[in-house]
Amino acid sequence: MKRLIAITLLIGLMQAGFGYSLLNREAGDMVRNFDARTAGMGSASVAGGLSLLDGVVNPANIGLMDAALQLQASAYVAKNNDDRSLPMYNFFDSYVGDATYATNANFFDDYTFALKYALQLDDLRLAVALSHRPVVNFYSEYDEQVRNDANSNYEEYPPIIARNSIDGKGRIQAGGMQIALSYTDMISAGIGVNYLYGDTSLRRRIVWADAAYDLVSGSTNLQDADFSLKRDFDAAIQLSGGITYRVSQRFVLAGSYTAKTELDATLSGNENGVLLDSLATASNLHDAYDTYTLPAEIRAGVRYEPRNIMRTYFNADVRFVKWSDVSSRYDDVLNYYCGVEHRFASSLPLRMGFMYETTYTTVDEDGIVYGQEITTPGFSLGTGFAVLPKVTVDVAAQFNYRTYECLDLFMDSFYDYPELWNEIEPADRGWDKPDTVKETTVGLTTSISYKW
Amino acid sequence: MKKRVFIFLGLCMIMAVASALIDINEASREDLGQLPITAQQADDIYAYRTYIGYFESLYDLRNITSIDQVTLLKIKPLVSVSHFTTNDAAAERRNEIFYLIQRLGANEGFQEGLSDVWEDYLTTPRNINYMTFNEILNMPNTSPLDAAAILNRRVLGDTLSSYRDMRQSPGISFYGASNLRHYVYYADKAQAPRIYFDYQMKYNTNEYDEAAWDMYNTSFINLHEVESGGGYDPNSTTPKIKKQGYWGYFDLENNTPQVINKLRMRYGGDIKAGVLQYTEKYRNPLPQADFFEDGVNMKYFASYEKQLDASNRIKVIAGNYRATFAEGLVMENTDFFSSRKTGYGFSKRITGITEDLSRSQEYALNGIAAQWDNPHFNAAFFFSHDDKDAVVYDSNGDGVLDDDDDVLGYITMTNRFSNDDLEESETFYNEYTQDGFVKITHDINIAPRLDALEEQILGAHLEYSPWVGTHLGFTGYEAVYDRDISVPQNDSLKALLFMYEEDAAEKYKTINSEIESMYSTKTSGYDRDYRRVIGFDWRTVLNNTSIQGEYAELSVDGKEAKLGDDPKALILSSYSQFDNLYLISLYRDYDLGFDNPYARGFSEHERFDGTALDSYGYAMANPLIADMAINSAQAQAEKGVYLEARYRINKYLTLNRTYLDLWERKADSRKSVRFQGELDFRPIHQLSLRAKYKHQTNRYDDTADRAVSKTDETTLSVRFFLSAMDRISMEYRYLTVWQPPYPYLTNDPDPGNTLVAGNVLTHGDYIAVDYTHNFNSNLKVQGAFMVWDGNGVSHWDWEDIEIDFMGEQGLKYWFSIQDKISDNLYVTMKYKIKQYVTNEYEFRAWWNEPEPGMADYFDRVEREDHTLRLQLDWKF
């Protein structure tokens, strides 16, 4: 009992703040991992069947789990580091690197739950699972200080004249049911029906500081900018299906399909002041707000269980994402995931994974709008242990990083009041002098599983 | 009769009991269920056998967590354990040689593409009684003396029957024999022909090295205001945009990885085929990119080889092949330079014709090649037809770069941007306008182009060996081109290479005669469409010494049939081998005009090292041509003597590879000396203490010259060899560089001005710790941490399987996991974080007045690089 309390506390302590990738503050981040085993395996799970939440990726997987009753709950905490820098030029006016002007570290969390019951009918097994999980996450948080150029040559701190912030909230969640029918643990087919619902809000603000009012001393009427947009999504049904086939003792092949899903949105919000921002990804494309599209996906993978001096599982997935469903500016992409699990003599697992994903942002350059590909590589490590005969806890850490260019989030001409500056005349930076963003995410996933 | 009946009944009972025993190596899950154990225990036994390994004895059952001693004793009388092994001979062989394959992979960086050849030999060894001298010599760590020792046995009529037998061969070294044994077998054995597949994927988000980074960051449309009034507009404002260099133009900082996919197939040891696809960092990896996109690197081959009889062997390769002969003066086609390539140890050459799936692209040969090996004769013929990347310049002065223009020379591009991309970028730079910006240079008139030069090569190598260990050889090739190669001379070349006239005047030095001396197909003396190189090589083995050499000539304006009247190159070397000592001495002398793009002979430096292409890449008319120096693979014109030795003094003390090189750089007669020595003290097997010292002086003969520089480097390291092959090592290095004050960086020494000199003495050090842990024979984890301070000098670090160069100061940490997932699947993953600062040379130039409060003689740029590498090998 003490152990159970400790585990509950462990998961509870992970409830930290909020925050995720600013890149996808409007488009949202598709949630990739639902449980710690999959996270440790680099998100390779379509040919799963070892973790209940694999059923979310491929409903057929639950048909291959022999336990009658299973429960699984997962908690996910991520720390997102977003370093934003602007280009530096040297004596010869050559670009030499980037100077970081804003760095944000935020935490984000999510929870997933699944319950399964299986009925054995001779060689047939009918399994039904219920799950609740996040599908898309809109959380993001950003804080930037705008300081004037007084005393900046002498390593003193110039006064803050404005604070810029972005505050994104909300998620699309799914309450789902997966049903699978398997035959002699050899082949399983399943379908998933997910009820999608949720909302999101995004607030962007520029708030002048007292120092700015002091500097203009009434000569200019400084006005804060405060824009917020709320999207209430109408519920929608997402369908998925999959097949898992055990070819031999060593190989399991699987494939799954998730249909394109569209959620209509009701917009509300307010606009105060004039906000010069570059949140252009969807601002330019207003119709993108009316409907939110989750692209269709096809995922295929293999599980390989070789003979090894340690019990070993190797999973590899290829995920085809039809990004062209979302925007004609995007190409469809292939993402790759692979992972290996070794179980040492003490049954202690060690998991290692690798992932490579391509996502998009919409870019407006010189009047031409196109999709810019952003690649995100990452790796993961994980382990687990049994706390009670039927209860196991798994833990995994995932690390992702990426570098990409984007426009200044808050364009500088907003601050172009001569009284505020000594020498600088703030002007907008366009795509000839973009921001470079280096982003790292460290995620910790903890799952607790019960089998009966 | 009764007795017989009893015996019969007894036998029946024994058989009945025996048949009742359940063989745990063969029993089905249902059979195991009949034992007095729980279903879970039966499942565990079945799973252990299926997924861990077969039982070698009954007591292996105790390895299963759920089987306790009581259970074991209970089922002991009821079960049997049959001897059981897998029948996959190839997998067994891979297990045997797993550590050797890992070692080959670790050295892949040095021996680009060679590890494939050796790995094939490891997997399907050759009969040593049929191998020729060159074939034995082509194996790793074998010397000519080892090869001669084995062949001398065969000449006497012996047949080598075992490793012990081979080891008894008079003159063979311990290292040679112990390495060779993995690659050979001794008696004829019927090998069931089978198909082998090797698939390899390498994924790497590695950063560009410093030289390439500088090249891509060089501003193309800059204009620094100079008060000399030499045609510059002082009111012009240089635009500050990221796109002013290729780095920003092509957005080279995103995490697009470098991906290599390689698939090789073999049928036995005779029929082979393979394909390689290599995606550079800035491209999308396949299959998301266009397979046939301009500049996508593809290589492929199909080959057939056959041992005709005990003496004759033939080989034919179609597609990409590698041709290397003798000392590499005439032909060794790789894109990768290796300094001090003696041909021994780690700098081994595989001579002859071999299939090629290396990353070499520019100097890849593509066509058909054939080779015949015989104890007395060796002949190879090769034909290649391939388009080469080249630097093209506006030779006809019509203002455009097109097919009518001449080629300056070959270039190995760091990124093979497509010609369309290059042309679009040049148009962008040529047409760039901005308020206040006045362009002061002409349009871009020199640039690299993909596949700009069609090259058709026909070559041959013939060798006659009158007796074991001695041969005379001839190598020659002729490359025919579809367009002219011409190198402007003197002022024309200066004007072509540099963006600004002032730079051309200040920065063009004697060393650049190396650029002027590049080969032209048309000069005032001749007009042709080819380049022709011939060479002679020889070797003889006398007792414990092998003497060899090669002489090569490039046809320029001498008489065709006369030797010595054209630019030439010569290598003479000897190798002596004792029980605890080897000694290499080597003399080389390459003419400046010997511009053979396929020459990879011994040299300290690669061609164009120290020239304007190398030192003043930022001042070039087009920064991209700096790649001619950055990725040069050709040996620089040098003349000098090199001595190398390794001496195992006693059980505890070894003088590791130690060398002395005295040489002269031909282009500017710079004389240099370099020495390196390492002493390894191993008082006990588990502990190794090493001290290494390195020294180099450039221009040692001219102390009055301000170009003298001296480098000293001392390294102390401790290595602990722990149990289970675990290892921990610590290393400290200290180095100094002395150089004369750099007048370019000094202020105008007027009264009132401060003299700011470049450093006369710079020093740097680093400290590193490295730990390797083997969980078991299939899973290895390695991690390292290092912190360094360069202060103007740079360090290099040999990581797990790659070299890292580090300038200025910083720290890095990395870990790698090497995992053998099964007998045929291997995965390696490495992750590295490197945080460092780079000094951007913001030294105030002499023409700038110092300003009060201006302290930014240089700015520091902080960088953090993340590198993720994944390698997957699948062999089946």
Side-chain angles (χ1 to χ4, degrees):
Chain A
M1 192 60 193
K2 279 182 181 173
R3 278 182 167 177
L4 274 178
I5 292 169
I7 294 158
T8 312
L9 280 174
L10 182 70
I11 294 174
L13 284 172
M14 289 175 184
Q15 297 183 39
F18 295 92
Y20 206 36
S21 176
L22 275 165
L23 174 69
N24 300 332
R25 59 196 171 266
E26 295 186 351
D29 283 297
M30 281 204 264
V31 179
R32 187 197 304 120
N33 299 309
F34 304 110
D35 72 280
R37 188 186 180 276
T38 307
M41 297 284 280
S43 305
S45 58
V46 70
L50 298 171
S51 175
L52 178 55
L53 284 160
D54 290 345
V56 172
V57 174
N58 177 7
N61 284 337
I62 60 168
L64 296 177
M65 296 173 180
D66 53 4
L69 180 67
Q70 270 182 276
L71 294 167
Q72 191 170 37
S74 271
Y76 172 66
V77 181
K79 177 173 178 274
N80 177 264
N81 259 66
D82 179 282
D83 293 340
R84 230 148 258 268
S85 52
L86 48 85
M88 272 195 300
Y89 297 87
N90 71 359
F91 178 83
F92 298 106
D93 295 326
S94 295
Y95 163 75
V96 290
D98 303 286
T100 302
Y101 69 86
T103 179
N104 280 264
N106 293 302
F107 287 87
F108 154 84
D109 62 6
D110 253 318
Y111 302 90
T112 309
F113 172 79
L115 164 71
K116 186 211 82 173
Y117 183 73
L119 194 62
Q120 193 72 40
L121 307 161
D122 294 330
D123 287 340
L124 293 174
R125 182 187 297 133
L126 179 68
V128 180
L130 299 173
S131 65
H132 190 269
R133 64 184 167 102
V135 181
V136 181
N137 193 305
F138 294 95
Y139 283 95
S140 61
E141 204 166 289
Y142 179 75
D143 180 54
E144 180 187 327
Q145 300 175 354
V146 181
R147 292 174 182 257
N148 87 344
D149 55 341
N151 299 324
S152 52
N153 283 338
Y154 301 102
E155 296 187 358
E156 293 182 10
Y157 296 108
I160 296 173
I161 57 170
R163 296 290 289 261
N164 306 332
S165 63
I166 294 174
D167 188 8
K169 284 185 168 59
R171 48 169 78 89
I172 295 174
Q173 305 186 84
M177 182 165 73
Q178 290 86 38
I179 303 171
L181 186 66
S182 68
Y183 174 70
T184 64
D185 282 343
M186 190 180 74
I187 188 165
S188 176
I191 55 165
V193 182
N194 297 303
Y195 176 80
L196 268 50
Y197 65 98
D199 59 26
T200 176
S201 66
L202 184 70
R203 187 177 186 195
R204 293 111 72 186
R205 286 198 301 165
I206 300 176
V207 180
W208 293 107
D210 291 345
Y213 291 110
D214 292 345
L215 285 166
V216 299
S217 54
S219 61
T220 303
N221 180 24
L222 297 177
Q223 192 182 5
D224 291 349
D226 188 350
F227 278 60
S228 65
L229 176 72
K230 189 168 188 302
R231 283 182 280 173
D232 281 305
F233 299 112
D234 294 346
I237 297 292
Q238 183 190 51
L239 297 174
S240 62
I243 293 178
T244 303
Y245 174 51
R246 180 175 272 284
V247 182
S248 69
Q249 284 177 327
R250 308 247 170 263
F251 284 100
V252 176
L253 298 178
S256 70
Y257 173 75
T258 305
K260 172 186 171 184
T261 312
E262 291 187 334
L263 289 86
D264 292 333
T266 308
L267 307 180
S268 60
N270 62 66
E271 300 182 359
N272 292 318
V274 178
L275 181 67
L276 288 170
D277 74 0
S278 64
L279 302 179
T281 51
S283 308
N284 295 349
L285 314 163
H286 195 266
D287 58 341
Y289 281 117
D290 295 336
T291 309
Y292 186 85
T293 305
L294 279 161
E297 290 183 19
I298 298 172
R299 195 158 172 150
V302 63
R303 185 169 92 224
Y304 175 45
E305 297 171 51
R307 182 175 281 123
N308 193 318
I309 51 180
M310 309 157 277
R311 182 74 162 98
T312 298
Y313 303 88
F314 176 77
N315 278 66
D317 285 14
V318 178
R319 177 180 166 211
F320 172 81
V321 185
K322 202 165 181 302
W323 280 109
S324 55
D325 282 346
V326 177
S327 168
S328 59
R329 296 168 187 86
Y330 300 162
D331 290 331
D332 302 333
V333 301
L334 290 173
N335 297 328
Y336 303 90
Y337 313 89
C338 71
V340 61
E341 174 179 316
H342 293 301
R343 286 182 179 269
F344 294 111
S346 58
S347 288
L348 186 77
L350 173 68
R351 305 180 182 111
M352 301 163 285
F354 166 83
M355 70 222 70
Y356 172 78
E357 289 190 328
T358 304
T359 50
Y360 279 96
T361 185
T362 308
V363 176
D364 183 349
E365 183 173 2
D366 303 329
I368 304 165
V369 181
Y370 65 97
Q372 184 184 31
E373 281 186 12
I374 295 169
T375 56
T376 310
F379 70 92
S380 61
L381 296 169
T383 186
F385 48 91
V387 287
L388 293 169
K390 292 176 180 170
V391 179
T392 53
V393 170
D394 293 289
V395 183
Q398 268 194 322
F399 186 89
N400 294 86
Y401 69 98
R402 58 185 172 196
T403 307
Y404 62 92
E405 287 186 342
C406 69
L407 286 178
D408 190 9
L409 286 173
F410 295 88
M411 289 295 191
D412 291 348
S413 59
F414 183 84
Y415 321 100
D416 186 16
Y417 298 101
E419 304 94 318
L420 295 177
W421 306 96
N422 292 324
E423 295 178 10
I424 295 172
E425 291 178 24
D428 294 345
R429 283 184 289 120
W431 277 104
D432 53 352
K433 286 186 272 287
D435 279 357
T436 297
V437 183
K438 294 201 171 186
E439 189 179 27
T440 55
T441 306
V442 183
L444 184 69
T445 311
T446 306
S447 297
I448 181 164
S449 310
Y450 172 77
K451 260 191 209 181
W452 185 75
Chain B
M1 181 63 190
K2 276 184 179 176
K3 211 172 187 177
R4 285 184 182 172
V5 169
F6 280 127
I7 290 170
F8 176 74
L9 286 173
L11 281 171
C12 286
M13 284 175 69
I14 290 167
M15 287 174 67
V17 170
S19 63
L21 292 179
I22 292 174
D23 181 352
I24 54 174
N25 269 341
E26 285 196 278
S28 65
R29 169 63 186 82
E30 288 70 30
D31 292 340
L32 290 171
Q34 292 170 15
L35 291 169
I37 53 177
T38 64
Q40 182 62 48
Q41 287 171 324
D43 282 343
D44 290 348
I45 293 172
Y46 187 76
Y48 185 94
R49 193 185 78 203
T50 310
Y51 299 113
I52 307 286
Y54 288 106
F55 297 97
E56 291 183 5
S57 87
L58 191 62
Y59 300 100
D60 284 351
L61 285 168
R62 287 289 281 119
N63 294 335
I64 300 169
T65 313
S66 64
I67 307 288
D68 57 12
Q69 188 67 17
V70 174
T71 310
L72 177 67
L73 293 174
K74 190 164 61 180
I75 64 174
K76 189 176 173 183
L78 307 172
V79 298
S80 66
V81 181
S82 61
H83 180 64
F84 215 93
T85 55
T86 52
N87 292 322
D88 188 348
E92 279 182 37
R93 178 67 189 158
R94 275 198 297 273
N95 280 336
E96 284 172 27
I97 58 173
F98 174 55
Y99 75 101
L100 288 165
I101 291 179
Q102 274 194 319
R103 196 185 295 167
L104 287 175
N107 291 327
E108 177 69 15
F110 275 144
Q111 297 155 329
E112 178 68 35
L114 301 189
S115 58
D116 284 352
V117 178
W118 285 329
E119 197 178 315
D120 286 353
Y121 282 132
L122 277 173
T123 315
T124 46
R126 298 274 311 281
N127 187 336
I128 194 166
N129 293 301
Y130 292 158
M131 290 171 78
T132 63
F133 186 90
N134 286 337
E135 285 172 334
I136 297 172
L137 190 54
N138 279 343
M139 299 299 161
N141 291 316
T142 52
S143 72
L145 306 170
D146 299 325
I150 290 166
L151 291 188
N152 279 329
R153 288 279 308 278
R154 279 168 37 194
V155 167
L156 295 172
D158 283 0
T159 300
L160 278 69
S161 59
S162 66
Y163 169 62
R164 177 177 284 191
D165 193 7
M166 177 172 72
R167 186 70 192 88
Q168 302 297 328
S169 305
I172 198 165
S173 67
F174 169 74
Y175 289 110
S178 60
N179 276 295
L180 190 58
R181 66 177 163 160
H182 303 293
Y183 298 86
V184 298
Y185 66 92
Y186 307 92
D188 267 329
K189 59 179 181 182
Q191 280 188 316
R194 58 158 288 179
I195 298 179
Y196 298 90
F197 284 98
D198 291 319
Y199 166 73
Q200 183 178 70
M201 189 279 292
K202 286 182 181 176
Y203 170 102
N204 200 343
T205 60
N206 58 322
E207 299 295 323
Y208 291 95
D209 66 28
E210 196 179 325
W213 198 90
D214 286 345
M215 173 178 72
Y216 289 134
N217 274 290
T218 298
S219 176
F220 220 140
I221 46 177
N222 61 348
L223 169 60
H224 49 274
E225 296 169 20
V226 179
E227 293 166 0
S228 65
Y232 292 70
D233 180 353
N235 297 317
S236 180
T237 305
T238 307
K240 286 187 176 181
I241 58 168
K242 260 186 113 169
K243 278 189 170 185
Q244 66 188 246
Y246 283 105
W247 187 268
Y249 187 89
F250 286 113
D251 185 21
L252 295 180
E253 62 195 310
N254 64 25
N255 285 321
T256 314
Q258 178 189 79
V259 179
I260 296 171
N261 284 291
K262 183 162 70 175
L263 178 67
R264 296 187 301 132
M265 186 278 291
R266 289 182 300 135
Y267 181 70
D270 295 340
I271 299 172
K272 299 180 187 177
V275 60
L276 170 131
Q277 174 269 319
Y278 167 38
T279 310
E280 292 152 344
K281 258 183 73 61
Y282 82 105
R283 289 177 194 278
N284 277 327
L286 296 177
Q288 291 176 23
D290 181 356
F291 214 88
F292 298 101
E293 191 184 339
D294 194 12
V296 168
N297 303 310
M298 297 289 297
K299 289 174 86 169
Y300 47 84
F301 79 91
S303 71
Y304 176 73
E305 57 186 300
K306 183 79 180 167
Q307 187 78 40
L308 299 175
D309 53 40
S311 303
N312 295 291
R313 186 175 182 85
I314 57 159
K315 180 195 269 188
V316 181
I317 301 176
N320 288 109
Y321 60 88
R322 203 162 162 155
T324 302
F325 303 105
E327 308 293 317
L329 284 187
V330 177
M331 175 57 70
E332 183 177 353
N333 66 317
T334 170
D335 284 3
F336 300 92
F337 175 75
S338 176
S339 59
R340 297 179 290 282
K341 194 168 185 179
T342 58
Y344 296 97
F346 281 121
S347 56
K348 191 91 181 176
R349 289 188 178 87
I350 293 186
T351 57
I353 303 285
T354 45
E355 56 277 5
D356 181 14
L357 288 187
S358 69
R359 284 181 302 145
S360 291
Q361 183 70 34
E362 176 70 356
Y363 298 103
L365 296 176
N366 190 3
I368 190 159
Q371 181 169 306
W372 169 48
D373 287 305
N374 176 284
H376 294 293
F377 297 98
N378 181 319
F381 299 92
F382 53 99
F383 169 77
S384 168
H385 186 140
D386 200 16
D387 293 334
K388 301 299 179 191
D389 301 346
V391 172
V392 177
Y393 68 99
D394 185 18
S395 58
N396 55 16
D398 61 359
V400 286
L401 283 173
D402 55 24
D403 292 344
D404 298 330
D405 291 314
D406 287 356
V407 160
L408 183 70
Y410 290 72
I411 185 168
T412 306
M413 296 167 71
T414 301
N415 277 341
R416 296 186 76 219
F417 301 113
S418 71
N419 285 338
D420 287 345
D421 285 349
L422 286 168
E423 283 166 18
E424 280 174 25
S425 68
E426 287 155 21
T427 304
F428 173 81
Y429 293 126
N430 287 336
E431 296 178 355
Y432 188 80
T433 56
Q434 178 181 295
D435 288 346
F437 172 65
V438 180
K439 195 169 70 173
I440 53 145
T441 52
H442 49 71
D443 283 354
I444 295 163
N445 62 350
I446 182 167
R449 286 285 182 271
L450 257 64
D451 300 330
L453 184 66
E454 187 183 309
E455 179 204 72
Q456 198 162 291
I457 282 186
L458 189 61
H461 174 77
L462 304 169
E463 199 174 293
Y464 170 63
S465 174
W467 57 83
V468 169
T470 297
H471 81 255
L472 292 168
F474 164 83
T475 314
Y477 80 84
E478 181 178 278
V480 179
Y481 307 112
D482 67 332
R483 60 199 288 183
D484 288 326
I485 300 172
S486 69
V487 182
Q489 300 293 304
N490 304 323
D491 290 345
S492 304
L493 183 61
K494 287 183 199 174
L496 177 66
L497 291 180
F498 286 90
M499 187 176 280
Y500 301 114
E501 285 177 26
E502 284 73 11
D503 280 343
E506 286 173 6
K507 297 183 169 70
Y508 199 83
K509 297 173 183 169
T510 321
I511 176 74
N512 293 316
S513 58
E514 191 162 80
I515 306 172
E516 287 178 24
S517 63
M518 287 165 65
Y519 180 75
S520 295
T521 56
K522 63 175 179 186
T523 64
S524 55
Y526 61 81
D527 188 353
R528 56 175 71 137
D529 64 351
Y530 64 86
R531 179 185 331 234
R532 192 177 293 156
V533 185
I534 59 159
F536 299 93
D537 60 284
W538 58 91
R539 164 178 283 126
T540 189
V541 173
L542 299 168
N543 298 323
N544 65 340
T545 298
S546 165
I547 300 167
Q548 55 272 313
E550 186 174 19
Y551 172 85
E553 252 188 45
L554 166 73
S555 296
V556 180
D557 44 11
K559 290 180 181 171
E560 285 294 330
K562 188 178 175 188
L563 289 177
D565 58 349
D566 275 320
K568 52 196 175 297
L570 173 70
I571 285 184
L572 289 171
S573 74
S574 73
Y575 175 84
S576 300
Q577 184 172 285
F578 302 86
D579 284 346
N580 294 328
L581 167 74
Y582 77 73
L583 184 66
I584 297 170
S585 54
L586 185 144
Y587 171 80
R588 81 278 196 189
D589 184 356
Y590 312 146
D591 284 351
L592 196 56
F594 182 75
D595 179 24
N596 172 14
Y598 293 95
R600 303 287 179 273
F602 178 99
S603 69
E604 278 286 341
H605 294 288
E606 65 276 30
R607 195 176 177 90
F608 304 129
D609 178 68
T611 63
L613 292 165
D614 176 35
S615 307
Y616 302 114
Y618 62 87
M620 292 292 100
N622 185 338
L624 290 186
I625 64 171
D627 260 340
M628 287 180 82
I630 292 171
N631 296 317
S632 171
Q634 195 178 335
Q636 190 161 45
E638 294 174 355
K639 176 184 179 181
V641 176
Y642 173 84
L643 300 169
E644 179 188 314
R646 181 181 185 277
Y647 180 33
R648 190 162 190 261
I649 299 162
N650 58 34
K651 186 178 168 185
Y652 308 109
L653 207 56
T654 305
L655 187 68
N656 282 343
R657 180 172 169 254
T658 294
Y659 63 81
L660 172 72
D661 196 13
L662 288 146
W663 81 98
E664 176 185 338
R665 185 164 69 186
K666 287 291 188 72
D668 60 351
S669 299
R670 188 188 77 173
K671 291 182 178 171
S672 301
V673 59
R674 183 182 173 97
F675 168 81
Q676 176 184 305
E678 184 179 66
L679 204 58
D680 183 357
F681 175 53
R682 207 159 175 176
I684 53 173
H685 180 70
Q686 291 85 351
L687 176 65
S688 164
L689 304 167
R690 291 184 179 189
K692 188 160 96 174
Y693 174 71
K694 199 189 303 185
H695 173 86
Q696 181 164 334
T697 300
N698 293 327
R699 282 221 188 279
Y700 65 83
D701 60 323
D702 186 7
T703 48
D705 192 305
R706 293 172 75 86
V708 176
S709 67
K710 297 174 185 173
T711 306
D712 288 279
E713 180 185 302
T714 308
T715 308
L716 300 172
S717 62
V718 187
R719 295 169 194 214
F720 300 96
F721 298 90
L722 312 174
S723 59
M725 304 286 280
D726 291 359
R727 199 181 80 169
I728 188 163
S729 66
M730 287 173 275
E731 188 168 314
Y732 174 74
R733 182 188 295 172
Y734 178 76
L735 72 95
T736 57
V737 178
W738 183 91
Q739 60 194 10
Y742 198 1
Y744 177 73
L745 300 175
T746 57
N747 258 328
D748 185 7
D750 283 343
N753 282 349
T754 311
L755 189 71
V756 182
N759 282 345
V760 173
L761 183 70
T762 51
H763 62 97
D765 55 4
Y766 88 53
I767 190 160
V769 61
D770 182 302
Y771 177 62
T772 304
H773 178 68
N774 289 276
F775 284 96
N776 51 48
S777 58
N778 288 358
L779 183 62
K780 181 164 95 174
V781 177
Q782 191 177 0
F785 174 78
M786 175 181 290
V787 57
W788 72 92
D789 197 342
N791 289 325
V793 297
S794 55
H795 298 284
W796 63 267
D797 170 41
W798 180 242
E799 291 178 2
D800 55 342
I801 62 166
E802 59 199 339
I803 291 179
D804 188 25
F805 287 91
M806 302 160 303
E808 299 314 322
Q809 60 186 29
L811 60 89
K812 68 172 180 179
Y813 32 99
W814 58 265
F815 76 91
S816 76
I817 299 168
Q818 289 181 41
D819 193 359
K820 183 182 166 194
I821 290 172
S822 70
D823 285 342
N824 49 17
L825 188 64
Y826 309 75
V827 171
T828 304
M829 186 172 76
K830 179 180 171 186
Y831 183 72
K832 177 167 77 173
I833 297 178
K834 186 173 166 184
Q835 295 166 327
Y836 59 104
V837 294
T838 58
N839 273 359
E840 290 305 325
Y841 292 98
E842 292 272 315
F843 289 94
R844 190 164 65 246
W846 62 268
W847 55 78
N848 279 0
E849 293 293 328
E851 293 173 23
M854 181 177 155
D856 53 342
Y857 294 114
F858 51 81
D859 272 349
R860 291 204 155 160
V861 179
E862 292 180 20
R863 293 187 63 185
E864 180 177 293
D865 297 338
H866 295 255
T867 308
L868 183 58
R869 197 188 70 215
L870 181 81
Q871 180 177 330
L872 196 142
D873 284 273
W874 186 22
K875 303 168 189 298
F876 54 103

